[in-house]
Structures are given as C-alpha cells and as structure tokens.
C-alpha cells in the first residue's frame, strides 16, 4: 500500500509533545480560504516551481516530453499539460523544480521516522499531518499500526472530516489527536471551508466515546471567527472531551500565500485576516474563564 | 534596566535591586572602561633594568604591579579585588619598559583553585619555601626564588585591599573575609567565593587568563554546611555568587582582531560526576543557572557536564536558561569524554575531574599545560594534495585521492611535533626524560599549577603533571564535502574528469553555473544524516586521531587531537580557492565541527547525528558542534521538551561538546544598525561569547549569516 507524501520533516517542535518527525500527507476534503499548506490539498501529485532558484538553463525543457516548460520573457509552466512524471525535476541543477506528492511505502516512511528515535524522549515521536491524513484511509491506518508496533508515539493532525469507520480504527493506534475546529458557526464554516462542520463535530464525539486523547487546534482569523460566541462554543466542546489535552489557538498568518504562488495559484495571503495581539489575548481569557486549558 | 534575550522572554527577578543595578552598570561597561584607563605600570625608572635576567625582570614587574595597580572598590560590591590594568586584557603582563610590555602571559588553562580554597595560599607559600631550601645553589634556585617573590607580590596586593577596606563600614564583610582568605582556608561559602574571586583577580591582574573550572564542585560543600548551620540562606548565597559573575564583566574591548570582548577564556563547568563517580550537582549548580538566567551575563561561558543519568530537573533548568539565548550554556557529554581521556592514558579517577582550558578544550584542571595548533584541512587538500589545482594533478580513483590526502595529514601533524622540538635540550624518545630549554617566565601561573613548585619547573617548562599540545583540525565539513563532491562527480557519476573539475575550480566556476548549482543542490552534504558523506567525515577524523597518536612518546608533549576553527574560518575563507561542493572563492566556511553554512537542510537532529557518527572518543581535547536554534522552535513547554530531548539524544549518540544558541537574526540586524540600544546583547561566537556590539562588522556578519539558514 502506498502513501502520497508531500514532505517528511524532522525536528518538528509544535506538532505534539517533544521532538517529532512530521509526515505531511497529500489530499484534503476541505478548501479553507486561509489554507497554510495549499500544496497538500489535491490528492494527485503536482509540480512545484521556485522561480527564484531558476537559472534559466532550460535543462527542464529538454527533458520534458509534454512541452510544459515554455519561455515567453520568463520561464512559464503549462500545468494542464504536466503529467507529474518528474523527468524535469531529475535534471534541474538548482532544485527549482519539485514533485509534491511522491509515493512512499509504509516502510519508506518508517525508515525516515526511525532516524530520530533517539530524540523522541520527552514524549516525542511521529505526527501525521497534511492535508488530511485520513483521506488516505487504509494506508494511513497501516502506517499508524506499524508505528505503534515499532514502539513510536503517534499523533495525527486532522480536520475531522473523515470516514467514521476509519477514525474508529485509528483510535487504536493514535496517542494524540490534534483535532482542528475551524469554526463553530456552521454557516461560516461552509462559506470558508466548503463543507459543513456537522460531520466534524459528530466524529469528534465518536472518538471521544472511544477514549481518544484530544488536543483541539483552533485557527483564529480576524473578522471571521474572532467573536465571543465562537469562543464560548469552543469551550462547550472542549469540556465535553473526557481525555482532553489542551486547546491551541493558531493565529492566521499570511505565509500560505507565498507557497501557493509556486503551485501556480494567485496569492491568497490576506494581511487583514491576521488577528491582533488583543484578539488573541481576549480569546485566551474567555476560554480560560470557562476553565479550558489553552495556550 | 534591560537584560536582553533572543526569544523575547521575560527574565525572572530573584536578586535585589542593588545587585541588579550593579550588574546592569557592569554590563554597560562602567568598570570595563575604567580598567582601560590605566593600561600598565611603568618600569622606566628602574635603573639597570635591562641588566636583569628575564626571571628577575618578571619578578620586578609583578611586584610593581602589586604595589601600584589601581585599587578598585565598586559601589555596593559584596566581594573585593579587581584586575584593573588594561594591557592584561591584551594578553600581556601589564608592565612596560620603554613603552612595551615586558612579557607575554598565559591562557588556556584552569588553575588549581581547589588548593587555594581548601588549604589557602599559605599552604602554597610553605611549599615554595621548602622548594627554595631544596633548590638553593642549584640551577632551579632562580625559579624557586621567583615563586617566593610572586607570593610576596600577592601578599602586598592583598594588604592594599585590606587597607582600602578597613575603615569603610559598608564593606565590613568584605574586609573581614579578606582578613582570612585567600591565604587561609575558606571556612564559609562567603569566604570561599571571596577567596576564589580574589585569587582569580590577582592572576588576571598579572596578565593571565585562567578558567574557573567546576565552580559547583569547588563551592558546593561550603554552601551545604552554611545552609545546614543556618548561617546563610539560599537567597543570600545567590546574591554573593551573583557579585562574582558581575565582577567578571570588568574586562572589555579585548581587541583580539575585533573578535569581541567577553572572551578571556574564563569558562565555568557545572555538574557531572566527581572522582568517585558521584554526581556533583548541588545548590551552587542551580544558583549559577539562576544568575545566568536573570542577568544574562556571558562573560563566563558555562558548560554543563551531562551523562546518561543526568537528572531531569537539571536538564529542564538548563533548557530554560538556554532559551533566552546569548549562548551562555553549552554541554559536555561526560560519558564519552571520560572514555576518551581514559583511552588517552589518564586513570579513570583523574579523567572524572576534567574541566577545560577556559575555552572548551578538555583538560584536568590545575595539572595541565595546554596549547593547540590549528590548521585548515581544506587548505591542506587544496594546497598540498591537489597542489592548488595545478595542471596534471589526477588520481585513478577515490581511494588514491583519499590516501594521498591522509599522508598529507600525517605530514602536517608531524610538522607540529618538529616545530616544538626546539624547546627541548634533550631528546627523551628513548628514556622518556625531556628537559625543556628556558621559556618566557610565568611564575604567577606556576604557583597555581600542581607540581611546578615541587619540581622547580615553571608551567611552560614541563612543571605541570600533563603537558599537551593539541593539533586542531579546522574546515572539517568543507573538506569532507569537497571530497564527497569529487567522489560523486568524478568517480561515481563520471560527469567530468578530475583535471577538468580542477580547471573549473581554478577559474572559480566561471561559465559553469549549472554544474556549480548541481554540485551545490543535488548532493546531500555533511550535517544532513547522509551515511555516505558522514562516513567520509568519520573516517577522516579517525585517521587524523591516528596521526596524532603516532606522535606518542616522541616529544615531551602529548598530542591529543581536536576539532575547531574558533572563528578562524573568517580569515581562512578569503584565501581559499573555489571548492567542489559548489563553494565559490571567498564564501563563508564551516565553523568547528558544524556543517558548511547553507548545506544543512534537515534540521538540528540530523546535524547531531552526522556529527556523532564519528568515534569522537579518539579526540581527547574535543570536537565542538555549534547548533543555532530559532526562538520560535524552542518556545513554550514544547520548546523545553525539545531542548531536553536534543541534549539526551546528544549524550546517547556519543557527542562530545555542543554549544546550542538561540538566535534571532532579525534582532541581530537591528543591533548592528543601532548598537547603542544593544550594549548587553550577547551571542555565542565559538568557545566564547561576545557582546554582539563589540564584534567588528565581518564578525557580526558571520554570526548573522550562520543564523539565517
Ligand atoms: S513533471 Fe514531467 S510532464 Fe511535468 S514538466 Fe516535468 S517532465 Fe514535463
Ligand atoms: S532546469 Fe531548473 S534551473 Fe534550469 S531552466 Fe529549468 S527550472 Fe530553471
């Protein structure tokens, strides 16, 4: 069984306790307007081009049979024609080209994760992120099972929009769920992520029933979900969780925009969405006053 | 009053307002600038000065320094004594004849403070008197007499402080302590701190730069006793000890080619096991960490000895202090270091006592003569093995190239032995007896190094128990990456021949940008946990250690190997040719055993793993790994856990010495633009820290550059 992986990052510090190796998996059912990792949205692999690294040597043009690399004043990419075969990537001297979403076996992933085992004291281990890991249901379960068998601590960052059967299975192998709640207001949820939050909240109670350890991760987007009602709703949800770790507020940042440019999207970074320090503090205060452990 | 941090965190406040004020003023260089007001004592009035022997000249200088150096009592200080002569900061005995300093001075050692604290300087005096009786009318008489003269100088300077303090009611405690110490054994913690400081200050006053060594080992028992007796509280002890650190800021403007001040080889070592294998960590360990955390004083770079069993509490505390940045804390893996020292011939009990030379090179304190020979391994490859890329240089395969390089390495190390062989009167190869020719005087240091007095031999003439000159290989990762790139480009992938590659390098990659980019981007270099390239590093270090070991018994010195650049990569880089791993002429070189800047892409854990693959126990003086961390990656409780896990991993993988620093490049740029606002901001440079604003532009740029990748 193969996994489509965008990147495996060692020495990650904020994806669960201790030092972690984070495996970014490709594909996501949501289309959040503020997505920080747009390269992980589509399940299929894609070509990434970093124009700042390109020296114009045209080695890519020569090695591509599909006429994807064209020059009109600057180096352009005809994405429709690209089949992500990776030929040009192999021949680019500067690593200006990259295939995002190569296939890995469970064993491939484990051999990289194993490298830092000695640094996984203090609760460290492996974190699956994305994208939405559970999009690749069975393969992801297999990876998680293999990690547990190898004695590694596991965490999964999920948007929760997944098949409940997969989640039920996953609970057996996941030490910590990093569960995203983008918005408690369903209308806004639909507007900004493309889907309803109903399934996400139902799934949360499914894994909660099964005793999963849960850390909530809540993005703060200025002017979208920076209202008191939302914070209070979050507290209600948090307090229902039996094995609750903590709630993390993730202030929106605009970096996502730059990466999407390399994928050929228009820049989606929006400065006005960045929450103010005051808004962050207010959110924390309200959550704390409701008795929620928040950082 | 702001004590800077790199992570924007809030330093806790535990010390009194007066002590914090004293610290702030000291960091703002109030006393440092005062020290620079009087550079030296003049010996010009001394008739017939030129007629005296070198040793007599030295004694005259030391006595005059003791009699005339300015006395300084800082406002509110809890311990007294000050090294108040500017030329001492320039590494010279601060006495001049016709305008030039009469003698150079000694650094790179930690002296025997243990004897001073426990037995008092009087015990040394008794030994010196006995030696003088014994060596009278022998050729050793002059040195023995010099020992007595220097002790007399110490007494004179001590007396002057007593006189200055006697009638000052607010310094009553200082005065009372000084009526006992350092000449008598210390009886309390307060006396011990005063004794340590006063002796340290005297040695520095005479121009030398000693390290402090294991301060918790030295002071722990005194504090324990006082706490048990209820004669001192922990808070009082912290105040007293803080003054030791604050007074340590009295030297600034080292003028060591602009490499910044605060680097006078005065390192401190904390924690670790004692000679009986029992963990030393005590209240003093934690007080030192408290003080560093609160005041951010970087003048005593501090290294914590860790082992597999180090307490979680200590590790967390170390991580908490480390996070503020400034590079104040580094770590030793003592499991490996003790193993290395035992391999090098020390007994296990002796090995467990290790501290350092005031920088990070490992040595047994109070017993070791130490010097080192640095060389650039990249230059050796370029200049010797590849004859500066001359036409016609070629090797049939990688092994042939590698073995040519290792024989050049052997020749380099052998050259070091030959260089110092001129110091000996006799060749002791056969009977092990080496006799040194007279060396420049250094009696003040010899007083505090075991065996010198008894043997009637100075510190530089074979007096100490161990005499080491350590060849230090620099440019490690640059040369490893060069070799690896040649292996791939020429021998494995056969993209071009070696002569073709060398021709391109000779022309600094001109017209070959695509190939340069290929070499730079498509290979995974040292520091990324790539077994293939790391194997070259491990092999090279092992061969280098063997080359050093081959000198054993062939000199009065032992030659344990080490890995360092100490910032030398800055001067080296301008004269090195382009290198096969995509480096152009003039580009920044690697520091110590760290990766070449810009080539490490996998993060801290991969760097540590690459470094630890070598058998570092063959390098008895050490191999330094610099690790730069972003404030964001060590933020919060997660950050503490991460640092603790990094340190634990470093120990279990068999690392030697690591200096992690938390640095924010943007903050450094701001400090570069507005130095006036950042007087107290410090950074780790190499074995030392420096207040950033005292570095010259090139050094500042180098530090920033190292932190931007
Ligand atoms: S990935 Fe394949 S199809 Fe796409 S541009 Fe490169 S060579 Fe052409
Ligand atoms: S091969 Fe790479 S560097 Fe060359 S033109 Fe294509 S993208 Fe640019």
């Amino acid at each position: 069984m193969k996994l489509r992986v965008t990147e495996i990052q060692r020495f990650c510090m904020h994806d669960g306790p201790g030092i972690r190796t984070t495996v970014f998996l490709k594909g996501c059912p949501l289309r959040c307007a503020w997505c920080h990792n747009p390269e992980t949205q589509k399940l299929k692999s894609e070509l990434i081009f970093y124009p700042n690294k390109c020296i114009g040597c045209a080695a890519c043009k020569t090695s591509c049979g599909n006429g994807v690399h064209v020059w009109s004043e600057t180096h352009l990419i005809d994405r429709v024609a690209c089949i992500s075969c990776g030929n040009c990537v192999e021949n680019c001297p500067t690593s200006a080209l990259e295939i995002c979403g190569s296939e890995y076996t469970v064993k491939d992933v484990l051999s990289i994760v194993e490298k830092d085992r000695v640094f996984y004291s203090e609760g460290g281990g492996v974190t699956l992120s994305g994208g939405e890991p559970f999009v690749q249901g069975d393969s992801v379960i297999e990876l998680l099972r293999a990690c547990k068998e190898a004695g590694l601590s596991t965490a999964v960052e999920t948007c929760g929009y997944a098949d409940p059967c997969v989640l039920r299975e996953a609970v057996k192998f996941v030490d910590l769920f990093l569960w995203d709640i983008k918005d408690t207001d369903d209308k806004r949820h639909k507007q900004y992520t493309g889907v309803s939050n109903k399934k996400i909240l139902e799934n949360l109670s499914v894994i909660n029933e099964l005793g999963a350890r849960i850390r909530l991760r809540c993005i703060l987007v200025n002017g979208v979900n920076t209202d008191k009602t939302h914070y209070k709703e979050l507290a209600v949800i948090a307090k229902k969780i039996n094995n609750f770790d903590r709630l993390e507020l993730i202030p929106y940042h605009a970096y996502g925009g730059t990466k999407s440019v390399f994928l050929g999207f228009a820049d989606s970074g929006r400065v006005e969405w960045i929450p103010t320090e005051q808004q962050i503090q207010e959110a924390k205060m309200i959550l704390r006053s409701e008795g929620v452990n928040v950082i | 009053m702001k004590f800077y941090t790199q992570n924007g965190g809030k330093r806790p406040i535990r010390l009194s307002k007066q002590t914090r004020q004293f610290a702030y003023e000291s960091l703002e260089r109030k006393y440092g600038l005062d020290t620079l007001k009087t550079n030296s004592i003049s010996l010009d009035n001394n008739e017939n000065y030129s007629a005296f022997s070198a040793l007599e000249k030295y004694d005259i200088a030391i006595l005059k320094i003791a009699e005339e150096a300015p006395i300084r009592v800082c406002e509110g200080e809890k311990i007294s004594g000050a090294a108040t002569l500017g030329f001492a900061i320039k590494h010279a005995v601060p006495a001049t004849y016709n305008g030039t300093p009469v003698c150079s001075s000694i650094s790179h050692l930690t002296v025997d403070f243990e004897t001073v604290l426990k037995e008092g300087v009087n015990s040394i005096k008794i030994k010196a008197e006995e030696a003088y009786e014994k060596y009278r009318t022998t050729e050793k008489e002059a040195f023995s007499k010099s020992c007595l003269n220097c002790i007399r100088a110490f007494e004179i300077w001590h007396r002057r402080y007593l006189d200055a303090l006697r009638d000052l009611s607010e310094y009553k405690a200082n005065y009372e302590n000084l009526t006992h110490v350092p000449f008598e054994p210390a009886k309390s913690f307060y006396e011990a701190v005063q004794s340590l400081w006063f002796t340290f200050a005297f040695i520095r006053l005479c121009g030398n730069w000693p390290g402090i060594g294991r301060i918790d080992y030295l002071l722990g028992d005194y504090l324990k006793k006082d706490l048990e007796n209820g004669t001192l509280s922990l808070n009082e002890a912290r105040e007293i000890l803080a003054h030791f650190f604050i007074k340590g800021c009295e030297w600034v403007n080292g003028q060591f080619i602009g490499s910044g001040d605060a680097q006078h080889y005065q390192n401190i070592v904390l924690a670790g096991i004692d000679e009986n294998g029992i963990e030393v960590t005590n209240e003093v360990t934690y007080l030192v960490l408290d003080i560093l955390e609160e005041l951010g004083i970087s003048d005593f770079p501090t290294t914590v000895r860790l082992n597999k069993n180090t307490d979680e509490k200590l590790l967390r505390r170390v991580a908490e202090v480390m996070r503020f940045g400034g590079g104040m804390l580094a770590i030793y893996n003592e499991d490996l270091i003790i193993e290395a020292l035992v391999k090098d011939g020390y007994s296990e009990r002796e090995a467990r006592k290790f501290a350092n030379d005031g920088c990070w090179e490992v040595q047994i304190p109070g017993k070791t003569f130490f010097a080192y020979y640095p060389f650039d391994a990249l230059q050796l490859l370029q200049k010797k093995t590849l004859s500066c890329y001359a036409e016609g240089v070629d090797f049939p395969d990688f092994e042939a190239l590698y073995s040519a390089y290792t024989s050049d390495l052997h020749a380099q190390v052998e050259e070091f032995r030959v260089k110092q062989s001129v110091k000996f009167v006799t060749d002791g190869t056969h009977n092990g007896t080496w006799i040194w020719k007279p060396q420049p005087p250094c009696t003040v240091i010899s007083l505090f190094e075991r065996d010198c007095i008894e043997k009637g031999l100075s510190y530089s003439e074979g007096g100490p128990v161990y005499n080491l000159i350590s060849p230090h290989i620099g440019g490690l990762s640059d040369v490893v990456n060069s070799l690896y790139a040649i292996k791939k480009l020429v021998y494995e992938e056969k993209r071009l021949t070696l002569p073709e590659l060398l021709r391109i390098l000779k022309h600094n990659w001109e017209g070959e940008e695509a190939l340069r980019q290929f070499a730079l981007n498509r290979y995974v270099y040292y520091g990324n946990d790539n077994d293939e390239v790391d194997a070259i590093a491990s092999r090279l270090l092992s061969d280098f250690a063997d080359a050093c070991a081959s000198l054993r018994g062939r000199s009065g010195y032992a030659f344990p190997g080490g890995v360092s650049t100490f910032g030398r990569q800055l001067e080296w880089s301008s004269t090195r040719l382009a290198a096969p791993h995509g480096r152009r002429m003039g580009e920044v070189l690697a520091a110590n055993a760290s990766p070449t800047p810009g080539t490490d892409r996998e993060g801290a854990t991969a760097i540590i793993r690459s470094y630890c693959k070598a058998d570092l126990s063959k390098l008895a003086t050490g191999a330094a790994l610099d690790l730069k961390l972003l404030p964001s990656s060590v933020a919060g409780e997660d950050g503490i856990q991460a640092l603790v896990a990094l340190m634990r991993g470093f120990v279990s993988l068999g690392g030697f010495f690591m200096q992690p620093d938390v640095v924010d490049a943007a903050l450094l740029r701001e400090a570069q633009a507005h130095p006036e606002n950042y007087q107290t901001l410090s950074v780790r440079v190499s074995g030392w820290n420096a207040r950033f604003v005292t570095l010259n532009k090139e050094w500042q740029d180098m530090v920033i550059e190292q932190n931007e990748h």
Side-chain angles (χ1 to χ4, degrees), chain A residues 34-100:
Chain A
W34 48 73
C35 181
H36 289 158
N37 302 324
E39 73 280 8
T40 60
Q41 285 182 345
K42 288 186 196 149
L43 183 57
K44 76 175 188 64
S45 54
E46 290 168 273
L47 183 69
I48 298 192
F49 172 53
Y50 300 98
N52 55 329
K53 287 195 196 164
C54 175
I55 55 167
C57 70
C60 49
K61 190 178 173 191
T62 329
S63 55
C64 175
N66 299 305
V68 172
H69 299 273
V70 286
W71 264 260
S72 92
E73 279 180 32
T74 56
H75 181 173
L76 300 175
I77 312 273
D78 177 3
R79 289 181 182 278
V80 184
C82 176
I83 55 161
S84 304
C85 68
N87 274 349
C88 58
V89 176
E90 281 305 303
N91 288 290
C92 171
T94 68
S95 303
L97 298 166
E98 213 176 272
I99 289 289
C100 174

Side-chain angles (χ1 to χ4, degrees), chain B residues 697-709:
Chain B
K697 177 86 168 49
E698 286 82 26
W699 280 80
Q700 290 186 347
D701 288 344
M702 181 177 75
V703 172
I704 294 174
E705 184 133 4
Q706 282 171 351
N707 290 301
E708 269 179 341
H709 296 291

